[in-house]
């Protein structure tokens, strides 16, 4: 693929959209919009190996159908949102190879369907 620029705001307005697979687009940049919280049907959000950066929005915790969140191999910074623990269907969480920091939130233990958690290669991230 050769996607360039940022994820358009119109994409986040597609509230019935179930899958976003935009990985391996190294010219894709910008941040994940807080508007992602309005995407109640979103099941898969895979944007790994891009140039996305910034903090992960707490509004990700409002995308309640989310099964797979894969943001590995980007330039995300800051804390892991504790709101991710409120996702009742979250099964896979790929946060590895970013620049996340702080303590891994204990609220992730509330994501009872979580089977795969990848947080390696975040030098400033520590356990609870």
């Amino acid at each position: 693929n050769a996607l360039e620029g940022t994820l358009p705001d119109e994409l986040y307005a597609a509230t019935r959209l179930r899958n976003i697979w935009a990985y391996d687009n190294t010219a894709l940049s910008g941040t994940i919009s807080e508007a992602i919280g309005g995407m109640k049907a979103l099941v898969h959000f895979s944007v790994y190996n891009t140039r996305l950066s910034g903090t992960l929005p707490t509004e990700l915790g409002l995308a309640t159908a989310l099964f797979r969140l894969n943001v590995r191999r980007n330039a995300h910074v800051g804390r892991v949102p504790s709101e991710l623990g409120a996702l009742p269907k979250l099964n896979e969480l790929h946060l590895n190879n970013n620049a996340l920091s702080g303590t891994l939130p204990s609220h992730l233990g509330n994501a009872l369907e979580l089977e795969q958690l990848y947080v390696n290669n975040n030098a400033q991230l520590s356990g609870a």
Side-chain angles (χ1 to χ4, degrees):
N1 293 330
L3 292 178
E4 295 181 9
T6 62
L7 292 172
D9 290 337
E10 294 81 8
L11 180 68
Y12 298 105
T15 56
R16 295 182 60 195
L17 190 61
R18 294 178 43 87
N19 301 298
I20 297 176
W21 304 93
Y23 57 87
D24 288 336
N25 284 287
T26 55
L28 186 62
S29 60
T31 61
I32 299 171
S33 171
E34 295 84 5
I36 196 166
M39 300 184 79
K40 304 297 185 197
L42 188 62
V43 175
H44 298 108
F45 187 64
S46 292
V47 290
Y48 61 88
N49 196 30
T50 67
R51 293 181 61 206
L52 291 176
S53 60
T55 58
L56 295 173
T58 59
E59 291 82 0
L60 278 164
L62 299 174
T64 54
L66 208 53
F67 178 85
R68 177 183 295 125
L69 175 60
N70 192 337
V71 296
R72 74 178 187 250
R73 295 180 64 196
N74 286 306
H76 295 293
V77 298
R79 298 188 176 277
V80 175
S82 62
E83 290 81 359
L84 295 178
L87 294 171
K89 299 177 182 178
L90 186 64
N91 182 268
E92 296 180 28
L93 181 56
H94 303 259
L95 303 173
N96 46 310
N97 298 86
N98 281 287
L100 298 170
S101 60
T103 303
L104 199 60
S106 61
H107 286 75
L108 285 179
N110 296 336
L112 300 179
E113 297 298 316
L114 188 60
E115 293 181 2
Q116 299 179 47
L117 173 63
Y118 300 92
V119 293
N120 52 301
N121 295 321
N122 285 287
Q124 300 300 314
L125 188 62
S126 63

